[in-house]
Amino acid sequence: MDIKTLCLGILTSGEATGYDLKKRFEGTFSHFYTAGYGSIYPALADLAESEMVTCTEVTEQGKPAKKVYRITDKGTDSFKKSLGENDSPCHKLKSEFLAMMYFAQLMDPQQISGLLQHRLTHIESALEMLKTITAESSDEQQGPAFVRGFGETVLKAAHDYISAYKAEQDTTTSGHQAA
Amino acid sequence: MDIKTLCLGILTSGEATGYDLKKRFEGTFSHFYTAGYGSIYPALADLAESEMVTCTEVTEQGKPAKKVYRITDKGTDSFKKSLGENDSPCHKLKSEFLAMMYFAQLMDPQQISGLLQHRLTHIESALEMLKTITAESSDEQQGPAFVRGFGETVLKAAHDYISAYKAEQDTTTSGHQAA
DNA sequence: AGCGCCATGTAAGTGGTTACATGATTGT
DNA sequence: ACAATCATGTAACCACTTACATGGCGCT
């Protein structure tokens, strides 16, 4: 599933501009996909060229001109088909955090503690964000709800594990060092 | 942390060939990093050129010639330094599974059920692999132990969440459909 | 005979990131 | 005035992936 397909998917729930899509990617999607303007705009251009979406230029007063994209029937069919085809979807993590922790024995205790703390803070803000999104959208559909719940569950588990390890680590190395 | 740095890190625990490194990447590392020969061999060549590692060609009887790489003092220093520098390590997921599930309302129940089942099976084999590795290495260092524990915790949480959702989903759609 | 493991590499492609370039409007 | 938000795009770059290319040894 490349960015192009994902943009098409988001457009199944309504028209949007490239800018709108970027904001969507910064929400729930940010936990399992990333996309910048450098990938979104070319993707939309491609989709328009292959008639998966239509593009309407809109000029509103007091606002910059924008291009509103709307999915076509062909686009909807194509997206549904791509949901069916992919029977072994990839799901992979790329973590510098874990890579570094793997070499914990080469770091000193306060370095490790800092690294763990950094990750905990990161997880906390991610959880906070998910909570905010949940509060905003009361009309939750099954898909987004599942994904959000998945994110929360996994983040909480990671948080618990890291904080437990950190507490233990900070205790055993205390006496001369503090986090 | 690019593949080059990671190879350097693995070499801190002893000499290895490109082939050996690949096998290491297929173990615990596979949960948070991927690397093929196409990245490993060029990485080793670069490291050798910048004197981070030395390369010794070894020819054993009954085996193909191989190049054994060993980290230098310069390499060790460089790696330790890179562990210290990176204060905001990235940790990101790229998931076609979650992307597809986000659009669950566009799929039919057995499609969803199949997708969930596929992921569950995948998680189960990953957990199995981690267990095998744990059994093999009794002389566990803190870093690898942390990473392995992290993987187990997160995978279990994901498994619980998915199977609970699947059970509920399969129940509510039963009567005319089965998984 | 043929498969699988050990072993090393290259070349082309890909899918995305980063930085750049532009510019109006709105709030402080 | 200045920053932030809305808004669109390009071009160069990058790190890796995939497919290709090669070849001996050991087991069945």
Side-chain angles (χ1 to χ4, degrees):
Chain A
M1 179 109 71
D2 55 13
I3 297 293
K4 227 162 95 178
T5 313
L6 207 48
C7 286
L8 197 58
I10 297 174
L11 289 170
T12 58
S13 64
E15 58 180 39
T17 65
Y19 194 81
D20 293 335
L21 289 176
K22 177 70 175 8
K23 279 193 295 186
R24 293 283 234 108
F25 276 109
E26 282 162 0
T28 317
F29 284 99
S30 66
H31 299 294
F32 57 90
Y33 251 95
T34 52
Y37 293 125
S39 16
I40 294 170
Y41 285 118
L44 286 171
D46 281 4
L47 288 170
E49 211 202 342
S50 53
E51 294 178 319
M52 299 299 183
V53 299
T54 57
C55 173
T56 320
E57 273 176 81
V58 177
T59 40
E60 289 172 274
Q61 285 195 324
K63 281 188 177 179
K66 62 181 175 181
K67 291 183 177 178
V68 176
Y69 293 88
R70 187 174 288 129
I71 197 165
T72 62
D73 289 347
K74 189 181 165 187
T76 308
D77 287 350
S78 166
F79 182 68
K80 279 186 188 164
K81 208 178 141 198
S82 67
L83 277 181
E85 274 168 6
N86 200 345
D87 59 341
S88 66
C90 90
H91 177 82
K92 68 178 160 198
L93 184 64
K94 179 167 182 177
S95 176
E96 287 187 2
F97 162 69
L98 290 175
M100 289 171 80
M101 280 305 295
Y102 191 89
F103 302 105
Q105 60 274 17
L106 298 176
M107 289 188 264
D108 40 78
Q110 64 284 44
Q111 223 181 323
I112 297 173
S113 194
L115 186 57
L116 294 171
Q117 186 52 56
H118 195 281
R119 186 100 296 269
L120 284 175
T121 309
H122 211 275
I123 292 173
E124 281 154 23
S125 61
L127 279 168
E128 198 56 46
M129 202 196 87
L130 283 181
K131 227 168 69 185
T132 311
I133 295 173
T134 316
E136 280 169 4
S137 55
S138 47
D139 58 328
E140 183 112 281
Q141 276 179 302
Q142 57 168 326
F146 173 86
V147 173
R148 190 134 60 232
F150 183 92
E152 254 179 275
T153 305
V154 168
L155 285 171
K156 273 179 193 159
H159 192 279
D160 286 355
Y161 180 80
I162 296 171
S163 60
Y165 184 87
K166 184 172 180 292
E168 202 200 318
Q169 225 250 339
D170 288 348
T171 309
T172 55
T173 52
S174 68
H176 55 280
Q177 287 297 355
Chain B
M1 181 110 69
D2 55 14
I3 298 292
K4 227 163 91 179
T5 313
L6 207 48
C7 287
L8 197 58
I10 297 172
L11 289 170
T12 59
S13 64
E15 60 181 38
T17 65
Y19 194 81
D20 292 336
L21 289 176
K22 177 69 178 6
K23 278 192 296 184
R24 293 282 236 107
F25 276 109
E26 281 162 0
T28 318
F29 282 100
S30 68
H31 299 294
F32 59 90
Y33 251 96
T34 52
Y37 293 124
S39 15
I40 294 169
Y41 286 118
L44 286 171
D46 281 5
L47 288 170
E49 212 203 341
S50 52
E51 295 179 318
M52 298 299 183
V53 299
T54 58
C55 173
T56 320
E57 272 175 82
V58 177
T59 40
E60 289 172 272
Q61 284 195 326
K63 280 188 177 178
K66 62 181 175 181
K67 291 183 178 178
V68 176
Y69 293 89
R70 186 175 288 129
I71 196 164
T72 62
D73 289 346
K74 189 180 166 187
T76 309
D77 287 350
S78 166
F79 182 68
K80 279 186 187 164
K81 208 178 139 198
S82 67
L83 277 181
E85 274 169 4
N86 200 345
D87 58 340
S88 65
C90 90
H91 177 82
K92 68 178 159 196
L93 183 65
K94 179 168 182 176
S95 176
E96 287 185 4
F97 162 68
L98 290 175
M100 289 171 81
M101 280 305 295
Y102 191 88
F103 302 105
Q105 59 274 16
L106 299 175
M107 289 189 265
D108 41 78
Q110 66 280 48
Q111 222 180 323
I112 298 174
S113 193
L115 186 57
L116 294 171
Q117 187 51 57
H118 195 281
R119 186 100 293 269
L120 284 175
T121 309
H122 210 274
I123 291 173
E124 282 154 20
S125 62
L127 279 168
E128 200 54 48
M129 202 195 88
L130 283 180
K131 227 168 69 186
T132 310
I133 295 173
T134 315
E136 280 169 4
S137 55
S138 47
D139 57 330
E140 183 111 280
Q141 275 180 301
Q142 56 168 327
F146 173 86
V147 173
R148 190 134 60 232
F150 183 93
E152 254 179 275
T153 305
V154 168
L155 285 172
K156 274 179 191 158
H159 192 278
D160 287 353
Y161 181 80
I162 297 171
S163 60
Y165 185 88
K166 184 171 180 296
E168 203 200 318
Q169 226 249 337
D170 287 348
T171 309
T172 55
T173 51
S174 70
H176 54 279
Q177 287 297 352

